[in-house]
Structures are given as structure tokens and as C-alpha cells.
Amino acid sequence: MDYLAGLNSEQRAAVQQIHGPVMIIAGAGSGKTRVITFRVAHLIASGVDPFNILVLTFTNKAAREMRERIMHLVGAEAKNIWMGTFHSVFAKLLRVEADKIGYPNNFTIYDTDDSKSVLRAILKEMNLDDKLYQVNFVLNRISAAKNNLISWQAYQQNEQLQADDFSSGRGMMGKIFETYVQRCYRAGAMDFDDLLFKTNELLRDHPDVLNKYQHKFKYLMVDEYQDTNFSQYLIVKKLAAVNENICVVGDDAQSIYAFRGANIQNILNFEKDYPDLKVFKLEQNYRSTQNIVNVANSIIANNKEQLKKNVFSEKETGDRIKVMRAFSDNEEGKIVAEGIMQERSTKGLKWNNFAILYRTNAQSRSMEEALRKLGIPYKIYGGLSFYQRKEIKDLIAYFRLTFNPNDEEALKRVINYPKRGIGDTSVDNIIVSADKHGITPWEVITNSAQYLQRAPAALPAFATMIQSFQVLAKTQSAYETALYIAQHSGVLKDLYEDKSVEGLNRYENIQELLNGIKEFSEREDIEEKGLEVFMQDVALLTNDDKDKDKDADTVSLMTIHSSKGLEFPNVYVVGLEENLFPSQMSLNSRSDLEEERRLFYVAITRAEHKLSLSYATSRFKFGTLINCEPSRFLDEIDAQYLELDFTAKPATGNSNNYDDERVAWSRSDSFSKPKPKPASTQVKTTSILAKAHVPSANFKPSDTTNLQVGMEVEHERFGFGKVISMEGNKPDIKATIFFKEIGQKQLLLKFAKLHIVTNS
């Protein structure tokens, strides 16, 4: 029990509450992983059999770290806990129970590229316009349906979905969905969404299986519960129904994955499912300075939908948060790069102490250019991962085919690589024959004389080679099997003979893969070490598990979504402009805008010691220079925590008037020369330098349904102003208002909270 001594009172209470439904609301940097780890250790110390504990996470990395910590506390017993991502845990369960839903136990798990390849083939066969039926759109549509537990049959019977498809000219979506599911089934394959969809199907249609796992998993813990979708929510609820020893951990303020199907209502309404729920709030932030925490709190306070908590820090007050203004996106990159260079040299820091976070991947360009000019090493996260490289996918396709010869995508990838005289026409004939006879392409290949009029001479040798791999895999280790396949498939020889720089890199990548498999074979924390198990681990890697080499001494560049779960001593959040952050797409509803604000909260709370925010007053978009205004989120920060750094000057001009500076800078740009507006209509850009307005004593938001041009209004932050124009239709009417203190600003009326002062 010594480990309990290192916990604060609320952490200790959460760890010791092992029975009944529990919700742990874990603020950013509050020691969430530590609490989950200690709670599992406490369950085991209290006599709970590790085989009866299920812990669900969202990344393999998180599961691995937790298991290692638990092993440190309770020893080898931690190996017996069912712990991993939703997809890895239920893939393991489906391996055992797959026959009950008509799948082989050695089913293949398709990644996104595999799914897209299947869909491309289907669209081609159906002669559909790939511009109307874009593969990404189709796949996302199918994924959304599965995550909401809508089968292809239910999809085709849903009148609303059918109406949406026909109105958009995509009336064949239901048939594509059906064909895709059947094609995967024939190949003995499941995609990522199937792992949860099929688990729900299994638990729904087989009460005996549900009863088995309800009594096996007597204690459930779910990490990052705010990120669960409907499918995940239902699985957890079903499994916990008998014992109700369920503990969910999460932070509604960090729910940022609605675009993946995550439903924040799962955590907001958790108490409705479990009226006897005990709630613990981890509110002490151990990561960030007081100023950073205060800024985060002042931002998230603007959200209506939230579980109230009072996050605080007892660390040093720290520097105030610097807000930097640039006159272009390129200048913004220059300011950030110079800031990193200066901070590193004056404080003796490493490059990996710095991270630059942005809303969209496209923003990395100006940052990269500025860093390169100063010779600052950097790495972009979220690019092509190691396991997505062609040579890696080629060899892994051989592995997949070894364990599941019905895997059509793997077969098509390697049947003629390295080249062995089985061309595209032959492959097409094999697939056509398989469709005609209702069998798999592999069955056609192994019985080519029966099903093909002209079989390529190399086909029998290819079949024999794959069969030899299958025999070897039954007796040899993962590494020995992988090395044998790499050598005898011809992949290693093909890459070794390519003496170009790219060829050398590809050969080295294959060696690195083999090294990884050897390391896997020698791990002590797992019992099953066959190549098939390694393959499943690779297939289930999440984006957060790939290429996160944070120890490399480079500045990290990534989207804010990619940064979740990470922390850095110094963080720069760039591009804080309206229609960029918050994004233009988020301004259609309050729920979307609140998710953008939560995303900003996540960005802020990645910083440990120093946080800098920046925006540009103009930016190129689709080749056109556009003027930008500062993000509304900057206006929501309490000014006492900010340090304004507006020292950046435009390329030409020395005027103290901001608008003159902007126009002068625009004239100097060689790509675009917008004409300055006449003096009478020049716009004074909103400035967070303006003194905070104190609302009038009788201030109360008015009904703006009948707001008209000429009316005087009061805004609780911007002060008094006059409506000078209005545009749009209900409920998205925008009003342009000239405020006495800060100048002209355009507001969406449904969110503006205006008090009407006079009618003229």
C-alpha cells in the first residue's frame, strides 16, 4: 500500500473506490495515467484476479506504459490483465469467437489503404463516377454508418439516408456499402470499424457469449471516455451490465474527436446510466505553470456544455502568455523560428523542448521554411508513418497472405512483386473467375487448371511458395519466419540490387522491420510471440502510436489533434485567426464552436513552462492574399495573463496607424497588390490591446430578432457600437458593428449577446 502515500487526497479516494460505478474527471496534467495505474494495482492488491480486469485505452502506447507501471507495482500478474485499445482487445476477443459470426479465426485486419483499394475496385466494376463517388467520401460514409451500428441492410432501408444519397446524386451508396461488406467477408477480412461493429453483433446475437464475458470482465476501466463513440459506448455498457464495477476516466474539456464519431454526451450523461455513480475530480495540474492553467480555465469557461471543475496549479506563476502579431503567414513563421532560437540559446535548452502546434497541416509550410532558414532541425508528425511505406507494406502483405490466403488485397499486392510474369490481365482473369464461381481468388490459383483457360506459367510456383511459408510459420519463431519470407519471396534481393539512394533506404527499412520483429520475439511482457501476433499489433497501431520519437532532438511540428496526450516545455500555437481557428466550418453551430474551443484548450495545456500564441493579419489562401482578424479565442483570455508582443513591422512604412501599416505592407508584396480602401471606409481591425469593457449595470442580452441598421448596441466585451450593415438569413444573420473603442467587427447574431441601447 506504499504507493497510496504518493497520491493527493482526491487521487487516493479514486484509487481506493474499487466497487460500483465510478467516474474520474481528470483535468489536464492531473496525473490521470498514474491514477489508472494505481487503481488497477489496488484492485489486484485487494484480491481481484487480473484475469477479471479489463482496461480499455485509445493507444497501444498508453496501454503499454500502464502495463509496465503495474508490473513494477504488482509483478508478473499484470500480464494477465486484458488491457489494450478498444480495437486490439476486441480483435483478440473476435479471434476466439469469430466462427460464431461466420469469420475465420485468422481473419485479416484491413487498414485504410486496403479499404480504399477494395472500394476503388468496386467503383470501377460498377462504372461509377469517381469524382462524384470519391473514395474518401464513400469510406467515411460507410465508417460513420458502422460506428452508429447501421448495417448495410439497415442503411438501404433508412428513408432519410436514401433521400440524402439521391438528393446528392449518390443513389448507389447503399449498393456500394453492401458490395464492400461482402467483398471483405469473402476475403476473410475486417476493417477497423468492423472490429467494434462485429463485437456488437456478436454480443447482440449470442447471449451465451455476452454472458461469458460479462462474468469474465468483473471490473472495467475505460481511459479517455470522452472520446468514445456510440459503438464503443454500447459494448462497454453491455459488458458492465451484470457487475456494474465500471470506472471511466476522462475530461470533457478535451473532447476533440467528433469528426471521428466521438460523442461528448457519453461522459456528460454518464450519471444517467448509473444513478449510484461516485464522481472524483482530479483538479490539480502538475504539468503547467499557474498562468498557463489560468489561461486554459478562462478559455474553457465560455463553453456551456461541460462538467464543472476548478483546475489549479501549485507550480510557479510562470511567464505571462505571449501574444504575437505578424503581418503575414511567412512573417509569423519567422517570428516563431527566431523566438525558438533565442529561447534555446539564452536558456540552454534542447530543440526537442519546443513544439509548434497548428489547426491544419497546410500551416506547416511557413513554419518549415522559417526553421530551415535558421538551420533549426525539426520533424513533422502526422506524415507518412513507417508502416505505410511501400516496401514495408509489400513485405507485410506476404506475411498477411501466409496466414490468410483469402486476403484479396494482399494477394493483388504481391502476386507479381517481385516481377514473376503474372501480369494485370492474368490477375483480372483470376478475380473474374472467382466472382463467376463464387469462390476466392486463392482457390482459383491453387486449382488454376480447373478455373483458368490460360494460367500463367509462374502461378503454380507462386502458390507453392506461399504454402511453404504457411508450413514454416507453424513451427518457427516470428523472426525466423519473417526473415525466411523476406529472403525467399525475392523482396530482399530486389531491394538489395537497387543501388540508388532510394533503393538503399528501402532496403534499410526492411532491415529495420526485421529488427523490430526480432525485438518483438524477445519481449518478456507477452506470451504469444508468433508472427501472426506481431501482424495484429501492426494492423492495430493508432496514429498516436506511429513515429512519435519525442526523444529526437528536433522541434516538433504537428496539428493540435496530433498533440493530444503529449507535453512540451515550450509551446507555440500559431494561426489564431477567425475562420482558421476557430475554423470556418465550426461557426455553423454552438456544439461545433465549443469543440473548437476545447481544441484550443488542449493546445494550451500541452505547455509546461512557456506558451506563445500568434496570428497573422493577412495570409495566402488558394493563391489569394486575404486579410485576417484575430481569433475570438484571444478575446476570451483574461488580459492579466497576457504579454502583448506587437513589435513586428510590415515590410515598408513607419506609420503608427495599424491600417496604414497593413496597406503599406500589402503594397510591398510582389504577389498581390490590393488597393487601399478610401479613408472614409477604412476598417480599424479588432485589437486585443483595447481596454476591457465593463458592462453597464443594466446589461442584459436582448432579443435581436428585429435588430436593424442604425441601432446602438452594447457588447459585454467590445463596448458600445452602432449597427452599420446586416447580411445573411436566419438563423445565421451577421451584423457589422462599429464599436467606439475597437472599431468595426462582424458578429453572428445568434452568438453575439448584444444589448440594444436605442433604436436610432
Side-chain angles (χ1 to χ4, degrees), residues 242-265:
V242 171
N243 297 293
E244 290 199 349
N245 292 322
I246 178 171
C247 173
V248 301
V249 187
D251 181 8
D252 58 292
Q254 297 186 65
S255 178
I256 59 172
Y257 294 118
F259 67 95
R260 293 184 189 169
N263 186 354
I264 191 174
Q265 299 302 322

PDB file of all heavy atoms in Angstrom, residues 242-265:
ATOM      1  N   VAL A 242     -23.825  -6.608 -15.648  1.00  0.00           N
ATOM      2  CA  VAL A 242     -24.051  -7.555 -14.547  1.00  0.00           C
ATOM      3  C   VAL A 242     -23.443  -7.056 -13.240  1.00  0.00           C
ATOM      4  O   VAL A 242     -24.122  -6.965 -12.211  1.00  0.00           O
ATOM      5  CB  VAL A 242     -23.478  -8.947 -14.910  1.00  0.00           C
ATOM      6  CG1 VAL A 242     -23.510  -9.874 -13.689  1.00  0.00           C
ATOM      7  CG2 VAL A 242     -24.281  -9.558 -16.052  1.00  0.00           C
ATOM      8  N   ASN A 243     -22.166  -6.700 -13.255  1.00  0.00           N
ATOM      9  CA  ASN A 243     -21.470  -6.326 -12.012  1.00  0.00           C
ATOM     10  C   ASN A 243     -21.479  -4.822 -11.739  1.00  0.00           C
ATOM     11  O   ASN A 243     -21.375  -4.411 -10.577  1.00  0.00           O
ATOM     12  CB  ASN A 243     -20.018  -6.813 -12.074  1.00  0.00           C
ATOM     13  CG  ASN A 243     -19.925  -8.327 -12.158  1.00  0.00           C
ATOM     14  OD1 ASN A 243     -20.269  -9.027 -11.211  1.00  0.00           O
ATOM     15  ND2 ASN A 243     -19.475  -8.837 -13.308  1.00  0.00           N
ATOM     16  N   GLU A 244     -21.555  -4.025 -12.793  1.00  0.00           N
ATOM     17  CA  GLU A 244     -21.543  -2.559 -12.693  1.00  0.00           C
ATOM     18  C   GLU A 244     -20.304  -2.024 -11.954  1.00  0.00           C
ATOM     19  O   GLU A 244     -20.337  -0.945 -11.381  1.00  0.00           O
ATOM     20  CB  GLU A 244     -22.823  -2.018 -12.051  1.00  0.00           C
ATOM     21  CG  GLU A 244     -24.040  -2.170 -12.946  1.00  0.00           C
ATOM     22  CD  GLU A 244     -25.186  -1.260 -12.561  1.00  0.00           C
ATOM     23  OE1 GLU A 244     -25.140  -0.652 -11.473  1.00  0.00           O
ATOM     24  OE2 GLU A 244     -26.148  -1.163 -13.356  1.00  0.00           O
ATOM     25  N   ASN A 245     -19.223  -2.808 -11.999  1.00  0.00           N
ATOM     26  CA  ASN A 245     -17.948  -2.306 -11.478  1.00  0.00           C
ATOM     27  C   ASN A 245     -17.207  -1.633 -12.633  1.00  0.00           C
ATOM     28  O   ASN A 245     -16.244  -2.157 -13.170  1.00  0.00           O
ATOM     29  CB  ASN A 245     -17.105  -3.449 -10.892  1.00  0.00           C
ATOM     30  CG  ASN A 245     -17.729  -4.031  -9.643  1.00  0.00           C
ATOM     31  OD1 ASN A 245     -18.300  -3.316  -8.817  1.00  0.00           O
ATOM     32  ND2 ASN A 245     -17.644  -5.345  -9.496  1.00  0.00           N
ATOM     33  N   ILE A 246     -17.703  -0.484 -13.012  1.00  0.00           N
ATOM     34  CA  ILE A 246     -17.155   0.217 -14.172  1.00  0.00           C
ATOM     35  C   ILE A 246     -16.600   1.565 -13.742  1.00  0.00           C
ATOM     36  O   ILE A 246     -17.244   2.308 -12.997  1.00  0.00           O
ATOM     37  CB  ILE A 246     -18.220   0.398 -15.274  1.00  0.00           C
ATOM     38  CG1 ILE A 246     -17.613   1.182 -16.451  1.00  0.00           C
ATOM     39  CG2 ILE A 246     -19.489   1.068 -14.737  1.00  0.00           C
ATOM     40  CD1 ILE A 246     -18.503   1.240 -17.665  1.00  0.00           C
ATOM     41  N   CYS A 247     -15.399   1.845 -14.188  1.00  0.00           N
ATOM     42  CA  CYS A 247     -14.748   3.123 -13.882  1.00  0.00           C
ATOM     43  C   CYS A 247     -14.339   3.774 -15.195  1.00  0.00           C
ATOM     44  O   CYS A 247     -13.583   3.192 -15.976  1.00  0.00           O
ATOM     45  CB  CYS A 247     -13.513   2.898 -13.003  1.00  0.00           C
ATOM     46  SG  CYS A 247     -12.530   4.402 -12.737  1.00  0.00           S
ATOM     47  N   VAL A 248     -14.868   4.962 -15.469  1.00  0.00           N
ATOM     48  CA  VAL A 248     -14.477   5.693 -16.671  1.00  0.00           C
ATOM     49  C   VAL A 248     -13.664   6.910 -16.259  1.00  0.00           C
ATOM     50  O   VAL A 248     -13.945   7.554 -15.251  1.00  0.00           O
ATOM     51  CB  VAL A 248     -15.696   6.115 -17.518  1.00  0.00           C
ATOM     52  CG1 VAL A 248     -16.487   4.889 -17.939  1.00  0.00           C
ATOM     53  CG2 VAL A 248     -16.589   7.092 -16.800  1.00  0.00           C
ATOM     54  N   VAL A 249     -12.648   7.182 -17.049  1.00  0.00           N
ATOM     55  CA  VAL A 249     -11.736   8.299 -16.763  1.00  0.00           C
ATOM     56  C   VAL A 249     -11.679   9.194 -17.989  1.00  0.00           C
ATOM     57  O   VAL A 249     -11.554   8.698 -19.115  1.00  0.00           O
ATOM     58  CB  VAL A 249     -10.316   7.780 -16.443  1.00  0.00           C
ATOM     59  CG1 VAL A 249      -9.421   8.929 -15.990  1.00  0.00           C
ATOM     60  CG2 VAL A 249     -10.371   6.687 -15.389  1.00  0.00           C
ATOM     61  N   GLY A 250     -11.784  10.475 -17.782  1.00  0.00           N
ATOM     62  CA  GLY A 250     -11.713  11.361 -18.935  1.00  0.00           C
ATOM     63  C   GLY A 250     -11.887  12.815 -18.552  1.00  0.00           C
ATOM     64  O   GLY A 250     -12.027  13.160 -17.376  1.00  0.00           O
ATOM     65  N   ASP A 251     -11.867  13.652 -19.571  1.00  0.00           N
ATOM     66  CA  ASP A 251     -12.008  15.099 -19.379  1.00  0.00           C
ATOM     67  C   ASP A 251     -12.854  15.629 -20.528  1.00  0.00           C
ATOM     68  O   ASP A 251     -12.404  15.646 -21.676  1.00  0.00           O
ATOM     69  CB  ASP A 251     -10.628  15.760 -19.370  1.00  0.00           C
ATOM     70  CG  ASP A 251     -10.705  17.267 -19.146  1.00  0.00           C
ATOM     71  OD1 ASP A 251     -11.805  17.782 -18.839  1.00  0.00           O
ATOM     72  OD2 ASP A 251      -9.660  17.937 -19.276  1.00  0.00           O
ATOM     73  N   ASP A 252     -14.066  16.051 -20.211  1.00  0.00           N
ATOM     74  CA  ASP A 252     -14.941  16.568 -21.263  1.00  0.00           C
ATOM     75  C   ASP A 252     -14.313  17.765 -21.976  1.00  0.00           C
ATOM     76  O   ASP A 252     -14.575  18.010 -23.154  1.00  0.00           O
ATOM     77  CB  ASP A 252     -16.294  16.956 -20.676  1.00  0.00           C
ATOM     78  CG  ASP A 252     -16.159  17.988 -19.568  1.00  0.00           C
ATOM     79  OD1 ASP A 252     -15.618  17.645 -18.507  1.00  0.00           O
ATOM     80  OD2 ASP A 252     -16.585  19.144 -19.764  1.00  0.00           O
ATOM     81  N   ALA A 253     -13.454  18.509 -21.258  1.00  0.00           N
ATOM     82  CA  ALA A 253     -12.811  19.689 -21.857  1.00  0.00           C
ATOM     83  C   ALA A 253     -11.800  19.307 -22.927  1.00  0.00           C
ATOM     84  O   ALA A 253     -11.313  20.170 -23.657  1.00  0.00           O
ATOM     85  CB  ALA A 253     -12.119  20.525 -20.776  1.00  0.00           C
ATOM     86  N   GLN A 254     -11.464  18.019 -23.039  1.00  0.00           N
ATOM     87  CA  GLN A 254     -10.519  17.571 -24.056  1.00  0.00           C
ATOM     88  C   GLN A 254     -11.185  16.642 -25.075  1.00  0.00           C
ATOM     89  O   GLN A 254     -10.514  15.840 -25.719  1.00  0.00           O
ATOM     90  CB  GLN A 254      -9.333  16.871 -23.396  1.00  0.00           C
ATOM     91  CG  GLN A 254      -8.523  17.784 -22.482  1.00  0.00           C
ATOM     92  CD  GLN A 254      -7.273  17.116 -21.942  1.00  0.00           C
ATOM     93  OE1 GLN A 254      -6.353  16.785 -22.673  1.00  0.00           O
ATOM     94  NE2 GLN A 254      -7.233  16.914 -20.639  1.00  0.00           N
ATOM     95  N   SER A 255     -12.490  16.778 -25.241  1.00  0.00           N
ATOM     96  CA  SER A 255     -13.212  16.000 -26.251  1.00  0.00           C
ATOM     97  C   SER A 255     -13.100  16.716 -27.588  1.00  0.00           C
ATOM     98  O   SER A 255     -13.755  17.731 -27.822  1.00  0.00           O
ATOM     99  CB  SER A 255     -14.688  15.855 -25.850  1.00  0.00           C
ATOM    100  OG  SER A 255     -15.395  15.141 -26.834  1.00  0.00           O
ATOM    101  N   ILE A 256     -12.269  16.194 -28.497  1.00  0.00           N
ATOM    102  CA  ILE A 256     -11.954  16.903 -29.748  1.00  0.00           C
ATOM    103  C   ILE A 256     -12.065  16.011 -30.986  1.00  0.00           C
ATOM    104  O   ILE A 256     -11.565  16.364 -32.048  1.00  0.00           O
ATOM    105  CB  ILE A 256     -10.528  17.506 -29.693  1.00  0.00           C
ATOM    106  CG1 ILE A 256      -9.484  16.412 -29.476  1.00  0.00           C
ATOM    107  CG2 ILE A 256     -10.438  18.568 -28.599  1.00  0.00           C
ATOM    108  CD1 ILE A 256      -8.035  16.892 -29.590  1.00  0.00           C
ATOM    109  N   TYR A 257     -12.755  14.869 -30.855  1.00  0.00           N
ATOM    110  CA  TYR A 257     -12.779  13.940 -31.975  1.00  0.00           C
ATOM    111  C   TYR A 257     -14.186  13.661 -32.495  1.00  0.00           C
ATOM    112  O   TYR A 257     -14.483  12.548 -32.913  1.00  0.00           O
ATOM    113  CB  TYR A 257     -12.109  12.622 -31.579  1.00  0.00           C
ATOM    114  CG  TYR A 257     -10.631  12.749 -31.308  1.00  0.00           C
ATOM    115  CD1 TYR A 257     -10.103  12.459 -30.059  1.00  0.00           C
ATOM    116  CD2 TYR A 257      -9.768  13.174 -32.306  1.00  0.00           C
ATOM    117  CE1 TYR A 257      -8.744  12.589 -29.807  1.00  0.00           C
ATOM    118  CE2 TYR A 257      -8.407  13.303 -32.068  1.00  0.00           C
ATOM    119  CZ  TYR A 257      -7.907  13.005 -30.818  1.00  0.00           C
ATOM    120  OH  TYR A 257      -6.554  13.134 -30.577  1.00  0.00           O
ATOM    121  N   ALA A 258     -15.040  14.658 -32.507  1.00  0.00           N
ATOM    122  CA  ALA A 258     -16.389  14.463 -33.043  1.00  0.00           C
ATOM    123  C   ALA A 258     -16.343  14.021 -34.498  1.00  0.00           C
ATOM    124  O   ALA A 258     -17.181  13.243 -34.955  1.00  0.00           O
ATOM    125  CB  ALA A 258     -17.204  15.745 -32.898  1.00  0.00           C
ATOM    126  N   PHE A 259     -15.330  14.501 -35.246  1.00  0.00           N
ATOM    127  CA  PHE A 259     -15.231  14.133 -36.665  1.00  0.00           C
ATOM    128  C   PHE A 259     -14.943  12.647 -36.840  1.00  0.00           C
ATOM    129  O   PHE A 259     -15.147  12.093 -37.918  1.00  0.00           O
ATOM    130  CB  PHE A 259     -14.153  14.973 -37.365  1.00  0.00           C
ATOM    131  CG  PHE A 259     -12.745  14.698 -36.913  1.00  0.00           C
ATOM    132  CD1 PHE A 259     -11.952  13.811 -37.597  1.00  0.00           C
ATOM    133  CD2 PHE A 259     -12.221  15.342 -35.802  1.00  0.00           C
ATOM    134  CE1 PHE A 259     -10.652  13.557 -37.187  1.00  0.00           C
ATOM    135  CE2 PHE A 259     -10.923  15.101 -35.382  1.00  0.00           C
ATOM    136  CZ  PHE A 259     -10.128  14.200 -36.077  1.00  0.00           C
ATOM    137  N   ARG A 260     -14.470  11.982 -35.790  1.00  0.00           N
ATOM    138  CA  ARG A 260     -14.268  10.528 -35.834  1.00  0.00           C
ATOM    139  C   ARG A 260     -15.471   9.774 -35.277  1.00  0.00           C
ATOM    140  O   ARG A 260     -15.462   8.553 -35.202  1.00  0.00           O
ATOM    141  CB  ARG A 260     -13.041  10.127 -35.016  1.00  0.00           C
ATOM    142  CG  ARG A 260     -11.712  10.598 -35.565  1.00  0.00           C
ATOM    143  CD  ARG A 260     -10.610  10.038 -34.689  1.00  0.00           C
ATOM    144  NE  ARG A 260      -9.313  10.602 -34.993  1.00  0.00           N
ATOM    145  CZ  ARG A 260      -8.232  10.432 -34.226  1.00  0.00           C
ATOM    146  NH1 ARG A 260      -8.319   9.701 -33.122  1.00  0.00           N
ATOM    147  NH2 ARG A 260      -7.082  10.987 -34.552  1.00  0.00           N
ATOM    148  N   GLY A 261     -16.478  10.498 -34.841  1.00  0.00           N
ATOM    149  CA  GLY A 261     -17.662   9.856 -34.279  1.00  0.00           C
ATOM    150  C   GLY A 261     -17.732   9.905 -32.766  1.00  0.00           C
ATOM    151  O   GLY A 261     -18.689   9.399 -32.174  1.00  0.00           O
ATOM    152  N   ALA A 262     -16.718  10.484 -32.104  1.00  0.00           N
ATOM    153  CA  ALA A 262     -16.749  10.587 -30.645  1.00  0.00           C
ATOM    154  C   ALA A 262     -17.950  11.419 -30.208  1.00  0.00           C
ATOM    155  O   ALA A 262     -18.286  12.424 -30.827  1.00  0.00           O
ATOM    156  CB  ALA A 262     -15.459  11.218 -30.128  1.00  0.00           C
ATOM    157  N   ASN A 263     -18.594  10.981 -29.132  1.00  0.00           N
ATOM    158  CA  ASN A 263     -19.798  11.653 -28.645  1.00  0.00           C
ATOM    159  C   ASN A 263     -19.574  12.133 -27.219  1.00  0.00           C
ATOM    160  O   ASN A 263     -19.514  11.336 -26.281  1.00  0.00           O
ATOM    161  CB  ASN A 263     -20.987  10.688 -28.694  1.00  0.00           C
ATOM    162  CG  ASN A 263     -22.296  11.362 -28.349  1.00  0.00           C
ATOM    163  OD1 ASN A 263     -22.329  12.536 -27.962  1.00  0.00           O
ATOM    164  ND2 ASN A 263     -23.385  10.636 -28.489  1.00  0.00           N
ATOM    165  N   ILE A 264     -19.444  13.452 -27.053  1.00  0.00           N
ATOM    166  CA  ILE A 264     -19.174  14.017 -25.733  1.00  0.00           C
ATOM    167  C   ILE A 264     -20.301  13.723 -24.751  1.00  0.00           C
ATOM    168  O   ILE A 264     -20.102  13.707 -23.532  1.00  0.00           O
ATOM    169  CB  ILE A 264     -18.924  15.543 -25.827  1.00  0.00           C
ATOM    170  CG1 ILE A 264     -18.365  16.078 -24.499  1.00  0.00           C
ATOM    171  CG2 ILE A 264     -20.189  16.276 -26.246  1.00  0.00           C
ATOM    172  CD1 ILE A 264     -17.968  17.532 -24.557  1.00  0.00           C
ATOM    173  N   GLN A 265     -21.504  13.444 -25.277  1.00  0.00           N
ATOM    174  CA  GLN A 265     -22.637  13.159 -24.397  1.00  0.00           C
ATOM    175  C   GLN A 265     -22.410  11.881 -23.580  1.00  0.00           C
ATOM    176  O   GLN A 265     -23.014  11.702 -22.523  1.00  0.00           O
ATOM    177  CB  GLN A 265     -23.930  13.037 -25.211  1.00  0.00           C
ATOM    178  CG  GLN A 265     -24.321  14.301 -25.980  1.00  0.00           C
ATOM    179  CD  GLN A 265     -24.487  15.507 -25.073  1.00  0.00           C
ATOM    180  OE1 GLN A 265     -24.986  15.402 -23.952  1.00  0.00           O
ATOM    181  NE2 GLN A 265     -24.042  16.668 -25.552  1.00  0.00           N
TER     182      GLN A 265
END
